[in-house]
Amino acid sequence: MCPAVAPQRSILWFRKGLRLHDNPSLLAAIKGATHLYPVFVLDPWFLKPDVVGVNRLNFLLESLTDLRSSLQARGSNLLVLRGNPQDVLPRVWKDWNITRLCFEADTEDYAEERDTKITAAAQEAGIEVISCVSHTLYDTSDVVAKNGGKAPLTYKGFEKAITALGPPPAPVEDPPAKLPPLAADSKGTDSETTSVPSLRELGYPDEASTDIKGGETEALARLAEQLSDKGWVAAFEKPKGDPTAFIKPATTVLSPHLKFGCLSPRLFYEALQRVYKEKKEHSKPPVSLLGQLLWREFYYVAAAHTPNYHRMEGNPICKQIPWDNNAEFYRAWEESRTGYPWIDAIMAQLRRTGWMHHLARHCVACFLTRGDLYVSWEKGRDTFDRLLIDGDPSLNSGNWMWLSASSFFYQYFRVYSPITYGKKYDPEGKYVKHFLPILKDYPPKYIWEPWKAPKEVQEQAGCIIGKDYPAPIVDHAEVSKR
DNA sequence: GTGACGTTGTCGCT
DNA sequence: AGCGACAACGTCAC
């Protein structure tokens, strides 16, 4: 016979994982619950343009709006609370007589520190805490356990560990059409104070400058659309993509949705397997689309199990390099003033759209660090973290260590050319002209190295090098030898 | 200790 | 389009 279970009043705390599909924490929260309080806590500390760029914040707000609509359609709501979660949550769990707190596990350093404190406080208040793994394919600890207790440093090692683990868990079932309600009389749940704020209310410009839209609805539509071309999915090989394609990008652009959890990696995994089953001849990891999802996992495992992962100092997997950290070089790189159109156009695309192709990221990261400017990867990582919509700390720091030859990758003599790399994909320079309109009238012959154009050509193009557009801040041929 | 290998370089040659 | 030289890194398997 079953013991009587006391009715539960649950908080479902959203952070990443901004979705209803494949959401085990949501299912845990509604089990035996009379009341469900879905909350998101906006911490004003992060809401500054020098910490979170407008495109990134816009994506978050759109995702919250979509999540709120989906919850409302199921008789629930999303309460957007303001403040530090460590202050806000204890206040509301008291006000609402909460018995259970559920959230998705987050392995990032800042999240673990925060969640440890909140879990302790909740348990002290007699609240049951349930945290589920659903942001990654696997529990990162399981991968580490299969690799002899440490994070794999090579793709091969990672592949071996996950092969031993078997396929990741399937997505959990969708939530019911009717969710438990919020109690009608609960303090602090009126829609005046719990609505999704606008960019303007948060002190940002009225509009984002990107076309990339946030939200679970958008994520699922994009997934369906991208995977509908099965031939393309089966043939996908990342290194063969064109980083200068900007009207129709060469990749899925699902990364922002994976970052915020509008799309479950397990759902993506399952959808890919369905295509591969149908298309017997298909590309394989590490270059395939599945491979891209596995690289994400690789970096999550490394980040979760490496001390000081986000810094050079004290980071056992990071090569210690005496970077120059020339502040003017760093600013020029960030503000598209290096004088190399390929580099400057990529950074302009980043600022405007919050996204660029993976290989374009390689080029600017190599240029800032080991290739040309010799500025620390931590600086570039910070810029990406602020401006990239899909900026995910585990992946971001990991890729910067990779590109700066600080970890995972060490063939430092493989340097991307800031002139020929872009040219081979886009001899006409359409990409450069689009993102750097000052150069739009340069003939293709000089678009990748405009400083070589004769004075008459510069005058005719209406852009004098050294005056309207900078001369190269370093001589690539010279500095890349270092 | 040794040797093979590493998601996605460039240049110049054939 | 495909190949070797470049100048030589760290990790892993043996």
Side-chain angles (χ1 to χ4, degrees):
Chain A
M1 111 177 199
C2 291
V5 178
Q8 299 287 336
R9 297 166 65 93
S10 302
I11 286 178
L12 173 58
W13 179 22
F14 284 100
R15 305 94 62 82
K16 294 174 183 170
L18 303 178
R19 63 173 184 265
L20 298 191
H21 75 269
D22 188 29
N23 191 333
S25 314
L26 168 57
L27 299 188
I30 62 178
K31 201 169 180 197
T34 53
H35 295 90
L36 173 70
Y37 292 82
V39 305
F40 184 89
V41 186
L42 260 184
D43 189 339
W45 191 87
F46 293 99
L47 299 177
K48 291 178 275 198
D50 59 338
V51 179
V52 173
V54 63
N55 290 324
R56 234 188 128 155
L57 179 60
N58 185 62
F59 191 98
L60 170 65
L61 298 179
E62 286 176 348
S63 300
L64 293 177
T65 301
D66 184 63
L67 185 61
R68 187 175 168 99
S69 305
S70 301
L71 286 164
Q72 284 171 345
R74 286 167 175 77
S76 181
N77 203 351
L78 178 69
L79 308 175
V80 180
L81 310 175
R82 316 291 179 88
N84 179 336
Q86 288 170 47
D87 305 325
V88 171
L89 289 173
R91 193 177 73 226
V92 296
W93 71 45
K94 196 156 161 257
D95 283 349
W96 303 339
N97 288 315
I98 293 302
T99 62
R100 188 195 275 155
L101 171 66
C102 300
F103 53 83
E104 179 185 62
D106 188 338
T107 57
E108 301 286 10
D109 290 348
Y110 70 91
E112 275 194 326
E113 196 184 322
R114 172 196 66 197
D115 295 349
T116 303
K117 287 185 193 153
I118 286 177
T119 299
Q123 284 168 343
E124 200 167 308
I127 294 168
E128 180 190 12
V129 178
I130 302 176
S131 132
C132 307
V133 174
S134 50
H135 190 66
T136 46
L137 295 169
Y138 298 92
D139 186 326
T140 60
S141 309
D142 293 342
V143 181
V144 165
K146 275 278 184 276
N147 190 55
K150 38 189 214 327
L153 291 175
T154 61
Y155 186 81
K156 270 228 159 66
F158 172 77
E159 197 173 40
K160 218 169 139 189
I162 60 166
T163 303
L165 285 174
V172 298
E173 71 269 26
D174 282 339
K178 193 86 190 141
L179 291 171
L182 290 84
D185 56 351
S186 291
K187 262 201 266 179
T189 59
D190 58 293
S191 66
E192 286 276 295
T193 53
T194 63
S195 62
V196 180
S198 65
L199 285 172
R200 180 200 281 256
E201 281 169 73
L202 297 171
Y204 278 76
D206 283 352
E207 275 185 49
S209 55
T210 184
D211 294 332
I212 298 174
K213 300 261 175 282
E216 180 182 17
T217 306
E218 178 72 22
L220 294 175
R222 186 157 193 107
L223 177 71
E225 184 199 326
Q226 292 292 314
L227 297 199
S228 67
D229 189 345
K230 294 180 181 141
W232 180 81
V233 171
F236 183 94
E237 289 184 39
K238 184 64 152 289
K240 294 197 176 148
D242 175 1
T244 68
F246 60 93
I247 294 169
K248 188 187 180 303
T251 58
T252 63
V253 198
L254 286 168
S255 52
H257 296 293
L258 286 166
K259 182 253 148 25
F260 285 96
C262 301
L263 173 64
S264 155
R266 292 169 181 170
L267 185 75
F268 188 20
Y269 184 97
E270 195 178 62
L272 282 172
Q273 294 300 342
R274 272 202 302 276
V275 177
Y276 292 150
K277 215 171 159 187
E278 203 178 304
K279 295 265 172 192
K280 298 283 183 240
E281 288 289 309
H282 61 80
S283 54
K284 301 247 157 48
V287 295
S288 64
L289 269 185
L290 174 61
Q292 306 314 302
L293 192 57
L294 296 180
W295 277 109
R296 172 181 185 269
E297 196 80 5
F298 171 88
Y299 287 122
Y300 259 103
V301 173
H305 300 275
T306 305
N308 299 311
Y309 179 82
H310 299 285
R311 320 200 302 247
M312 177 177 82
E313 261 184 74
N315 180 341
I317 66 168
C318 183
K319 197 171 162 73
Q320 304 296 303
I321 296 170
W323 301 106
D324 278 351
N325 286 326
N326 179 318
E328 178 43 31
F329 278 1
Y330 172 50
R331 267 196 303 278
W333 174 83
E334 195 181 67
E335 296 167 5
S336 296
R337 291 191 283 105
T338 70
Y340 287 94
W342 173 231
I343 300 301
D344 293 340
I346 295 167
M347 295 304 289
Q349 182 183 26
L350 170 60
R351 289 194 308 278
R352 194 192 309 173
T353 74
W355 184 88
M356 65 281 211
H357 188 278
H358 189 68
L359 292 174
R361 301 179 194 200
H362 278 212
C363 290
V364 293
C366 182
F367 188 88
L368 180 69
T369 58
R370 66 191 166 89
D372 295 79
L373 302 185
Y374 229 70
V375 171
S376 162
W377 61 268
E378 293 172 55
K379 292 283 188 189
R381 184 273 318 281
D382 289 344
T383 299
F384 274 23
D385 189 55
R386 186 174 82 250
L387 298 174
L388 271 177
I389 300 174
D390 62 25
D392 206 338
S394 297
L395 281 62
N396 198 15
S397 291
N399 274 307
W400 273 97
M401 282 190 269
W402 184 297
L403 262 300
S404 62
S406 297
S407 195
F408 310 116
F409 168 88
Y410 304 96
Q411 289 153 290
Y412 57 81
F413 40 88
R414 289 193 186 172
V415 175
Y416 291 88
S417 163
I419 300 157
T420 53
Y421 193 83
K423 196 199 281 189
K424 83 179 166 203
Y425 292 99
D426 179 18
E428 300 285 305
K430 291 195 191 77
Y431 175 84
V432 164
K433 293 179 180 197
H434 185 261
F435 289 105
L436 295 179
I438 184 90
L439 295 172
K440 71 179 166 44
D441 292 324
Y442 266 70
K445 188 177 176 196
Y446 298 112
I447 189 70
W448 298 99
E449 26 191 355
W451 61 92
K452 288 195 176 161
K455 249 299 141 337
E456 317 83 76
V457 175
Q458 297 189 20
E459 275 162 12
Q460 199 161 16
C463 174
I464 307 299
I465 301 308
K467 179 166 157 271
D468 305 311
Y469 179 75
I473 51 169
V474 291
D475 178 358
H476 174 74
E478 194 54 43
V479 296
S480 62
K481 290 193 199 120
R482 183 168 164 181

